[in-house]
Amino acid sequence: MKINIYYGGRGVLDDPTLYVTKKMENVLKELRVTVEHVNIYEYKNGIATLPNTMKGADGIILASTVEWLGIGGYMTQFLDACWLYGDKDMIRQIYMQPVVMSTTYGEREGMLTLENAWQILGGHTCDGLCGYVDDLNEFETNPEYMKIIEKRTESMYRAVSQKSKELPGSNQAVRQTVLHSQQMDLTPEESEQLSQFVSDDNYVRQQKADIEELSSLYRDMLGVDSDEGEYISDFKGMFNPDPDFRAVYQFEIEGNHNPLTLDVAGKKLTVKYGKADHVNVYARISPGVMDRIVGGRETFQRAFGVGDMTAKGNLRQLNMLDRIFPFSES
């Protein structure tokens, strides 16, 4: 017998779901069950292909943690991938046990969400396990809780080994009569290949590089040099000097051959394309985001906060960018 454990949390050390799944894994191994533990967050760029890992599994455990609302994004993406790319005939043969632990509220609702989702996909469900954990140390040292985890794991083992039957549910009827995933006219091999392309970060990066290369080629054909003059007048025109502030910023702008360097020395500003010997803050940004910033529709701080701009170096000096270049106030 083989059982896969799919963990949909963030992998933080004090996550009670990790403790529960580890105990369940130990119990299953004592019962001579082959167990494969899959941390979904480690495959965040390849979740579309994870349903293929269920091949050969007799049962699965879907484990998630409620930290503030619902079962979390990684588990939801995995279930979406099962609906879009999963082999429905294979899923119909698999027993699923939901495990949802909560540090706030909503563990029962989370467990019910997993049960409903798996039934709509067509699979079998086993009695789930859910609980609220306020103090992880107290939870781990309570022998009664350990007995509950062991008994629920053994219950799943019996359900899978005996191929337990269950009464029909309305979820199955809804799936058969109403809900249909959008089908593309593709062979199984083409569908699997498509899902791999969707999740292949290297493929996506290569596509972006090809687009940038083509853009550079067209600029050269038109006689336009993207490294000459772009954004220089914008920064010079919006400079709000601080007599006591010194910093050198270097922006790697996607598609440009040379970085944009801002050398702020009190009331003096030097803006040029090229590398500097000493840099306090390195940043990487796309032309679209930079256009929004110099156009006053975005700030450096907000772009950094949401991940549209990456940066390393002195964060205090990074925070000064919006003060000495107040584009959003213009």
Side-chain angles (χ1 to χ4, degrees):
M1 181 189 300
K2 181 183 179 184
I3 291 179
N4 292 356
I5 300 176
Y6 293 91
Y7 167 70
R10 297 185 296 118
V12 294
L13 292 176
D14 59 348
D15 189 340
T17 306
L18 287 174
Y19 168 77
V20 173
T21 54
K22 184 62 178 178
K23 294 300 180 184
M24 297 179 75
E25 184 175 346
N26 293 338
V27 172
L28 290 170
K29 287 182 177 178
E30 290 176 1
L31 295 170
R32 300 181 183 276
V33 175
T34 301
V35 181
E36 181 179 351
H37 191 109
V38 179
N39 294 320
I40 300 177
Y41 67 85
E42 294 179 351
Y43 298 84
K44 58 184 179 181
N45 293 323
I47 293 179
T49 62
L50 278 183
N52 293 329
T53 63
M54 291 189 290
K55 292 179 180 177
D58 300 289
I60 66 171
I61 295 172
L62 296 184
S64 188
T65 306
V66 178
E67 295 181 343
W68 73 284
L69 180 66
I71 58 175
Y74 291 130
M75 183 59 71
T76 301
Q77 290 181 55
F78 173 72
L79 292 171
D80 283 345
C82 290
W83 177 253
L84 293 170
Y85 304 114
D87 184 340
K88 303 303 190 298
D89 291 332
M90 174 187 66
I91 291 176
R92 291 190 188 100
Q93 309 302 319
I94 297 177
Y95 288 76
M96 186 278 295
Q97 182 179 45
V99 174
V100 179
M101 306 305 294
S102 171
T103 59
T104 172
Y105 172 80
E107 68 278 1
R108 294 188 179 276
E109 290 80 358
M111 186 175 69
L112 183 59
T113 297
L114 294 178
E115 290 177 347
N116 288 338
W118 198 251
Q119 288 174 353
I120 291 175
L121 286 167
H124 304 282
T125 57
C126 306
D127 290 338
L129 178 65
C130 68
Y132 167 75
V133 179
D134 182 38
D135 187 329
L136 183 59
N137 292 328
E138 180 183 347
F139 180 78
E140 292 179 349
T141 56
N142 191 312
E144 295 299 322
Y145 295 159
M146 183 60 195
K147 289 181 181 178
I148 294 173
I149 296 172
E150 290 177 349
K151 289 182 179 179
R152 201 56 58 88
T153 307
E154 293 169 356
S155 174
M156 181 197 184
Y157 172 79
R158 288 192 295 269
V160 175
S161 60
Q162 298 172 8
K163 302 296 181 183
S164 299
K165 302 297 181 182
E166 55 191 357
L167 294 173
S170 59
N171 285 336
Q172 297 174 355
V174 169
R175 177 182 60 83
Q176 294 171 2
T177 59
V178 178
L179 296 178
H180 299 282
S181 59
Q182 294 182 353
Q183 298 295 325
M184 293 180 288
D185 190 16
L186 300 173
T187 65
E189 292 77 12
E190 290 172 334
S191 180
E192 182 175 351
Q193 185 181 29
L194 175 61
S195 66
Q196 291 172 351
F197 281 147
V198 169
S199 61
D200 188 345
D201 194 43
N202 292 329
Y203 173 79
V204 173
R205 283 201 300 268
Q206 183 60 47
Q207 294 300 302
K208 289 183 178 180
D210 291 343
I211 292 173
E212 290 176 1
E213 184 178 351
L214 286 172
S215 299
S216 177
L217 176 63
Y218 284 124
R219 283 197 299 266
D220 293 342
M221 292 174 62
L222 294 172
V224 178
D225 189 345
S226 63
D227 291 356
E228 287 295 333
E230 191 176 25
Y231 305 121
I232 290 179
S233 60
D234 295 304
F235 280 97
K236 287 184 176 180
M238 194 52 64
F239 183 46
N240 180 34
D242 183 331
D244 300 321
F245 183 70
R246 304 284 190 279
V248 178
Y249 302 91
Q250 185 169 291
F251 291 92
E252 295 285 346
I253 302 175
E254 297 175 10
N256 284 10
H257 301 295
N258 296 310
L260 175 64
T261 300
L262 310 179
D263 187 345
V264 181
K267 296 183 178 181
K268 181 181 178 182
L269 171 66
T270 302
V271 187
K272 66 177 183 179
Y273 278 92
K275 295 182 179 180
D277 295 332
H278 174 73
V279 177
N280 301 106
V281 178
Y282 293 88
R284 184 173 180 83
I285 193 170
S286 69
V289 176
M290 183 65 87
D291 288 341
R292 293 203 302 271
I293 292 175
V294 299
R297 303 186 302 276
E298 181 66 285
T299 65
F300 288 104
Q301 188 64 32
R302 189 160 55 237
F304 176 71
V306 300
D308 288 341
M309 180 182 76
T310 59
K312 62 180 181 179
N314 190 314
L315 292 182
R316 179 183 172 277
Q317 292 173 333
L318 174 64
N319 294 336
M320 284 289 293
L321 271 171
D322 288 317
R323 178 176 171 181
I324 58 179
F325 299 105
F327 292 104
S328 61
E329 297 177 7
S330 59

